[in-house]
Amino acid sequence: MPNIPQSEPSSKPVPVRRLSKSRFLAGLQCHKRLYLEIHSPELATPPTPDRRAIMDMGTDVGVLAREFFPGGVLVEETHRQIPAALSRTAELVLDPTVQAIFEGAFVWQDILVRVDVIERLDATRWRLIEVKATSKVKATHLYDLAIQSAVLEGAGLLVDGCYLMHLNTQYVFLGGALNLEEMFALDNMTDEVQARRERVQPQLEEMWEVLQQPVAPVIEPDGHCQQPYECPFWAHCIKEKSPRWVFHLPGGAKLQNMLIQEGVETIDDIPAHIQLSDIQQHVKANVEWISPLLRARLQSVRYPVHHLDFETFMPAIPVFAHTRPYRPIPFQWSNHIEYEDGTIVHHHYLCVDGRDPREELAHRLLLSLGETGSVCVYSEYERFLLFALGDFLPHLKPALSKVVRRLWDLLSVIQQHYYHPDFQGSFSIKTVLPALVPKLAYDDLTIQNGAVAAVMYQKMVFSETDLMERAHTAQALEEYCGRDTWAMVELRRVLIGRVGGSVL
Ligand code: SF4
C-alpha cells in the first residue's frame, strides 16, 4: 500500500493527539481508512441496523463474560470521560483487593485502549483477556491483543499471558442458567501475540507519519477492503468505479485480486485466456442467456406449487433450550401456494411473543404444505432449517423429511439456466427480482432484508413494550416475508414467459 499523496477530498489535517485500539486496527487494514476515519469521518457509510445489532450482540457477550471473573470491578466512566476513566483505573490497579478490572483505561505513547478484562494474578502480574462474540480466533484478534499488551506494559503493568475469550458454538444450552464455563472458550494466545508485538511499534510509526500528511494516501480499493470486515469507506472509495468494475465479477476474491493486480479495470477487459466459470462467462458476455434446459427444469415442478421462505434470528447468547450460540431459530414463514389453474392462496406464520416458536411454527407449516406439490425455495437455507427442525422435534422429523424431498430450488435453476445483464453478477433475489419484475422490488417495504427482519423481530418480542409499535413491526415482518415468496411466484412466471408461455 504505497503512501503517495493524491487529490482525495482534501481535509485540513488537524493535529492528531491520540490513537485508539480500534483506529490502530483500522490502520492495519488500510492507511487510507485510518486517515479518513480521523480527518474525514463524514465520508463513512453509517452502520446499517443489522451491523449495529451485531455490535450490540458483541457488547452483550462482553457484559456476560464479566460474570466469569468474580470480584471484578467495572470502570464505568465512558469514552467522554477519559481522564476520569484513567484515574479510576489507576486506583483499581493499586487496590490489591480488586481481582479483575473491566473496561480499564490505559494510555501509552498517545494510544488509548479500553481493555475488556485484566485479571490480577499476584501482586505484580496481570492476565489480559479480550472478549469476542466470535466462534474462533482471527488474525485481527491477535493484533488487537498485541496493541493492548504493548499499551499495558508501556503503562507499567506486567502482562503475564494474553487470552482470547470467545463463544463455543458447540455448547448446547439446556435451559435454566447458562453454563458460562462451557459457553465460553478461553484460548491462551500469548505466543502468537508475542510474535506480533515487535511489529506494533514500526506500524504505529508509519500510521503517525500518514496522519501528518496533507491528503489521504493513494490506495486502490480491492480485496483488502473486505478483510477482516468491510471498510466503512467502501462506498466512497468505489464511487467512481464502473458498474462493470472487475471487482463485481462473482466467484471469489482471489481471481478479482489477480485481475486487479494485472491492471484489468473492467469485466469487459478480462483477457480471453483467463479461465472463467460458466457464471463468470455470462457476466462477461453481459447479454440475456437462456439455457436450452430451462424449460424442462421449470416443467419439473409439481402442482400445487408452494413458495416457501423462513425468517430466522441467530442469538449469540442462546435464549431457548436446546439451542447453541448463533444457531438460527426460525420465527416466521410465508407460503404462497399456486394451483394448476393459476389460483394463488397465501398462508403465513409469525410468532409475536418471546416463546420458543419452533414447535408451533413446524406444526402450522406442515398443515400449510400438506402432502402434495413442490416446495419452491430460493437457496439451500430452507433445507438446512427443515433438517434442524426435524432434529429438534423428533416426532415431526418424518413429516419434515418428506417436505425436504419436495424442495425445488429456484435459485439453482436461475444460476444454471438463465442470466440477465441487470443481475450484474449477483443472483440474490434482491437483485434478480427488480431485473425480471421491475414493478416488484423491496424498496417500498419497511424491512428490506433478512438481517433487518431478525433485528426487528428480536426487538418486538424481547424489548418493545408499546403495543402499537409491536403491531407495526409484525405487519412489516409479514409484508417482508410475504414479498419474498410472492417474488418467487412472479419470477417463475417471468421465466415461463421467457421459454414460450405455458410449461404445463
Ligand atoms: S475502502 Fe478500501 S481503499 Fe478505501 S479506505 Fe477502505 S480499505 Fe482503504
Side-chain angles (χ1 to χ4, degrees):
M1 293 186 293
N3 300 332
I4 307 160
Q6 62 150 17
S7 55
E8 184 64 32
S10 161
S11 39
K12 287 181 261 144
V14 285
V16 184
R17 283 180 294 125
R18 192 170 272 172
L19 285 182
S20 63
K21 177 184 87 165
S22 59
R23 285 187 169 157
F24 173 74
L25 294 175
L28 285 186
Q29 181 174 17
C30 172
H31 284 170
K32 182 176 177 184
R33 174 178 175 180
L34 172 67
Y35 189 96
L36 294 178
E37 282 200 4
I38 289 182
H39 295 306
S40 306
E42 70 285 356
L43 298 177
T45 303
T48 54
D50 47 309
R51 180 73 204 135
R52 275 201 299 274
I54 290 170
M55 293 191 280
D56 290 347
M57 215 147 60
T59 305
D60 292 346
V61 169
V63 170
L64 186 66
R66 291 176 199 155
E67 293 181 19
F68 216 82
F69 305 93
V73 179
L74 173 67
V75 176
E76 294 185 7
E77 287 77 6
T78 69
H79 66 286
R80 295 181 193 283
Q81 302 165 304
I82 292 305
L86 289 167
S87 60
R88 174 70 178 138
T89 305
E91 257 173 53
L92 295 172
V93 167
L94 293 174
D95 181 348
T97 66
V98 173
Q99 294 305 303
I101 302 172
F102 309 133
E103 293 299 318
F106 299 89
V107 172
W108 166 73
Q109 291 199 356
D110 294 322
I111 318 292
L112 171 76
V113 297
R114 298 295 297 257
V115 180
D116 288 340
V117 185
I118 50 168
E119 188 182 26
R120 192 186 297 275
L121 296 176
D122 59 28
T124 55
R125 295 178 310 130
W126 294 83
R127 189 157 73 144
L128 164 62
I129 299 132
E130 171 70 11
V131 182
K132 292 289 180 202
T134 53
S135 59
K136 55 180 189 240
V137 179
K138 298 180 181 170
T140 187
H141 300 154
L142 301 175
Y143 278 108
D144 197 333
L145 281 163
I147 185 73
Q148 291 183 71
S149 69
V151 172
L152 286 179
E153 292 193 348
L157 269 70
L158 180 55
V159 178
D160 189 356
C162 297
Y163 289 74
L164 193 89
M165 195 171 178
H166 60 91
L167 291 168
N168 166 20
T169 49
Q170 295 310 305
Y171 163 62
V172 180
F173 174 50
L174 297 175
L178 291 162
N179 182 337
L180 298 187
E181 295 276 342
E182 284 190 16
M183 196 179 95
F184 282 110
L186 191 60
D187 293 345
N188 184 348
M189 308 310 299
T190 308
D191 291 344
E192 292 83 348
V193 171
Q194 202 51 42
R196 284 155 180 86
R197 271 287 299 274
E198 61 197 40
R199 285 178 242 160
V200 166
Q201 186 68 37
Q203 282 160 337
L204 280 170
E205 281 166 18
E206 280 181 24
M207 290 181 201
W208 285 115
E209 175 67 26
V210 166
L211 289 171
Q212 305 318 314
Q213 301 305 312
V215 291
V218 176
I219 296 173
E220 276 294 304
D222 61 24
H224 82 278
C225 310
Q226 314 294 324
Q227 295 299 330
Y229 309 107
E230 182 173 306
C231 171
F233 297 98
W234 176 251
H236 165 70
C237 286
I238 67 161
K239 66 181 188 297
E240 307 291 341
K241 297 289 182 193
S242 153
R244 299 283 287 161
W245 182 35
V246 74
F247 205 82
H248 297 314
L249 185 73
K254 202 168 157 199
L255 176 61
Q256 292 164 347
N257 282 336
M258 187 270 282
L259 291 167
I260 287 173
Q261 302 284 322
E262 288 191 2
V264 176
E265 182 63 24
T266 70
I267 294 168
D268 306 302
D269 302 331
I270 296 173
H273 70 269
I274 300 283
Q275 212 170 2
L276 300 177
S277 68
D278 288 350
I279 289 177
Q280 288 166 339
Q281 285 178 38
H282 295 309
V283 176
K284 186 179 178 197
N286 207 26
V287 292
E288 185 180 46
W289 168 78
I290 301 172
S291 141
L293 298 177
L294 178 61
R295 184 181 175 86
R297 286 300 306 273
L298 291 170
Q299 279 176 326
S300 68
V301 290
R302 294 288 167 261
Y303 284 85
V305 184
H306 301 264
H307 300 79
L308 173 66
D309 182 58
F310 286 113
E311 296 306 325
T312 61
F313 77 116
M314 294 190 285
I317 301 169
V319 289
F320 302 129
H322 308 289
T323 58
R324 299 174 183 184
Y326 293 117
R327 193 80 183 172
I329 313 284
F331 58 84
Q332 177 180 19
W333 53 257
S334 168
N335 178 18
H336 273 98
I337 309 164
E338 183 181 28
Y339 291 89
E340 206 153 352
D341 63 0
T343 309
I344 302 277
V345 174
H346 185 213
H347 295 169
H348 51 98
Y349 170 86
L350 169 65
C351 181
V352 290
D353 56 37
R355 279 175 304 136
D356 184 340
R358 289 173 291 173
E359 179 143 15
E360 182 176 271
L361 171 144
H363 270 297
R364 299 269 197 94
L365 179 65
L366 290 170
L367 280 177
S368 172
L369 293 175
E371 298 280 335
T372 55
S374 299
V375 180
C376 173
V377 292
Y378 203 87
S379 87
E380 287 288 302
Y381 194 48
E382 274 64 28
R383 179 187 303 274
F384 164 78
L385 291 172
L386 288 163
F387 276 129
L389 278 171
D391 289 342
F392 173 62
L393 304 164
H395 56 295
L396 297 182
K397 190 167 184 146
L400 290 164
S401 299
K402 279 188 190 168
V403 173
V404 169
R405 290 197 285 276
R406 292 160 57 195
L407 291 179
W408 188 90
D409 182 10
L410 179 58
L411 170 63
S412 69
V413 171
I414 295 178
Q415 280 179 324
Q416 291 164 22
H417 301 288
Y418 183 79
Y419 188 74
H420 189 285
D422 290 348
F423 291 177
Q424 293 184 13
S426 167
F427 290 88
S428 156
I429 199 165
K430 307 295 185 287
T431 311
V432 168
L433 182 64
L436 291 186
V437 193
K439 68 179 191 309
L440 195 65
Y442 286 81
D443 46 14
D444 59 319
L445 297 179
T446 305
I447 295 172
Q448 298 181 7
N449 65 58
V452 173
V455 173
M456 299 287 278
Y457 165 75
Q458 289 178 87
K459 186 163 175 251
M460 175 179 77
V461 299
F462 297 127
S463 60
E464 184 60 69
T465 51
D466 184 317
L467 289 180
M468 286 293 285
E469 213 35 63
R470 288 171 67 111
H472 281 144
T473 301
Q475 186 182 349
L477 286 164
E478 299 276 21
E479 286 170 359
Y480 169 66
C481 194
R483 180 66 54 89
D484 268 345
T485 52
W486 182 246
M488 286 189 270
V489 175
E490 291 277 11
L491 286 172
R492 280 187 49 250
R493 286 177 176 170
V494 169
L495 291 173
I496 288 166
R498 289 292 202 274
V499 293
S502 167
V503 293
L504 297 176

